């Protein structure tokens, strides 16, 4: 049985007590901590920048998974590496296709793992040429911008497609899904081949986070 990893998204945390919100997540079963960075241009919402990551990165023993929903990842990725990112994921739709591979290489040269994300309307066939270079592929199962939206079922076929290609070619990327993940949708994405499940509102709004995180891992 494949191991399933959980990445709580701090977007749904109470920022007035951010450290209290995240300090027990590892004990409660999480492996990654997901940072949703939004610039108000690539998505219609603004969240936070590298300063927030730098304040907490050394204090939590979780893998820092940065999801850049910004129009200019090239300009800002280094700030997040300096702030303690373990993975930097940028959006395929944010830059020109010819800029994608050079940016993948630059992130790797700076000793950071690199991910590429696709929005719900993007066909995964468009990113096939980049798959051998990636440490992570992130399939969005909601339109990026806000937490608390409903899961889009069309992401399941994309996950299956990317999972099959991974196995067939022995690629090393981790397959991550983000948006509308709860105890019910988790089962579907795991069946389709997802390995890292990002979850914001389901975890942070639950009474018992340990139970919530465990319920996401059940197949
Ligand atoms: C959406 C973000 C997600 C979001 C997930 O743009 O990328 O990570 O926080 O939140 P839920 O789990 O509430 O859909
Ligand atoms: Zn995200």
């Amino acid at each position: 049985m494949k191991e399933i990893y959980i990445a709580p998204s701090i977007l749904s945390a109470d920022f007035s007590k951010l450290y209290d919100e995240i300090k027990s997540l590892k004990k409660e079963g999480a492996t990654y901590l997901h940072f949703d960075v939004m610039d108000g241009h690539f998505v219609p919402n603004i969240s936070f920048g590298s300063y927030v990551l730098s304040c907490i990165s050394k204090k939590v023993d979780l893998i820092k998974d940065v999801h850049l929903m910004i129009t200019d990842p090239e300009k800002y990725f280094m700030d997040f590496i300096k702030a303690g990112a373990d993975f930097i994921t940028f959006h395929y739709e944010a830059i020109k296709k010819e800029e994608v591979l050079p940016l993948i290489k630059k992130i790797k040269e700076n000793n950071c793992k690199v991910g590429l994300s696709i929005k719900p309307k993007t066909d995964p066939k468009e990113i096939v040429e980049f798959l051998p270079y990636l440490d992570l592929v992130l399939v969005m199962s909601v339109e990026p911008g806000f937490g608390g939206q409903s899961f889009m079922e069309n992401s399941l076929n994309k996950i299956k497609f990317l999972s099959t290609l991974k196995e067939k070619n022995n690629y090393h990327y981790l397959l991550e899904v983000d948006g509308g993940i709860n105890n019910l949708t988790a089962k579907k994405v795991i069946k389709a081949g997802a390995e890292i499940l990002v979850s914001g509102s389901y975890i942070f709004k639950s009474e018992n986070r340990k139970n919530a995180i465990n319920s996401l891992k059940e197949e």
Side-chain angles (χ1 to χ4, degrees):
M1 225 165 45
K2 205 160 58 175
E3 183 137 16
I4 302 301
Y5 303 101
I6 306 301
S9 164
I10 65 163
L11 195 62
S12 298
D14 179 345
F15 272 63
S16 70
K17 46 172 184 172
L18 184 54
Y19 181 61
D20 284 343
E21 288 275 81
I22 59 180
K23 67 182 180 202
S24 311
L25 286 171
K26 186 163 184 174
K27 250 189 356 227
E28 289 157 353
T31 305
Y32 294 79
L33 191 60
H34 188 80
F35 291 79
D36 283 309
V37 179
M38 305 179 182
D39 66 354
H41 292 278
F42 184 72
V43 291
N45 193 13
I46 298 175
S47 59
F48 49 80
S50 58
Y51 178 66
V52 171
L53 173 62
S54 72
C55 291
I56 52 180
S57 62
K58 286 203 181 65
K59 294 191 173 179
V60 285
D61 189 15
L62 291 158
I63 302 168
K64 269 66 85 182
D65 171 30
V66 174
H67 178 194
L68 296 180
M69 287 164 275
I70 64 176
T71 47
D72 201 347
E74 161 96 61
K75 184 170 173 189
Y76 294 102
F77 78 89
M78 205 56 218
D79 293 346
F80 289 90
I81 293 180
K82 285 183 192 150
D86 295 300
F87 280 80
I88 301 268
T89 295
F90 66 93
H91 266 269
Y92 167 73
E93 303 86 356
I95 58 177
K96 295 196 189 97
K97 191 156 192 168
E98 61 266 29
E99 293 167 352
V100 172
L101 192 55
L103 183 54
I104 289 173
K105 289 185 173 160
K106 261 185 223 166
I107 294 171
K108 284 180 132 174
E109 277 161 20
N110 284 283
N111 298 318
C112 188
K113 305 246 188 212
V114 61
L116 190 63
S117 181
I118 51 171
K119 297 207 284 186
K121 290 194 184 81
T122 303
D123 189 330
K125 289 194 182 83
E126 289 189 44
I127 63 163
V128 163
E129 66 197 82
F130 306 115
L131 297 179
Y133 306 96
L134 293 168
D135 300 307
L136 185 147
V137 177
L138 170 54
V139 174
M140 289 303 300
S141 43
V142 298
E143 279 300 335
F146 300 91
Q149 302 182 75
S150 301
F151 177 79
M152 295 168 80
E153 300 276 335
N154 79 334
S155 60
L156 294 172
N157 278 337
K158 298 182 185 193
I159 298 166
K160 277 183 207 150
F161 174 79
L162 290 160
S163 170
T164 307
L165 272 185
K166 174 179 167 164
E167 272 182 33
K168 199 171 135 206
N169 298 290
N170 220 357
Y171 291 144
H172 71 282
Y173 56 80
L174 290 155
L175 193 47
E176 183 177 53
V177 60
D178 182 4
I181 298 297
N182 56 37
N183 56 329
L184 303 174
T185 55
K187 292 188 177 43
K188 298 184 189 183
V189 299
I190 292 171
K191 197 167 165 222
E195 299 162 293
I196 306 178
L197 277 52
V198 176
S199 180
S201 45
Y202 179 71
I203 292 176
F204 284 100
K205 307 261 181 288
S206 70
E207 298 278 310
N208 183 321
R209 297 207 176 143
K210 192 169 183 192
N211 288 348
I213 290 171
N214 268 330
S215 75
L216 295 177
K217 294 181 185 173
E218 281 164 14
E219 294 190 28

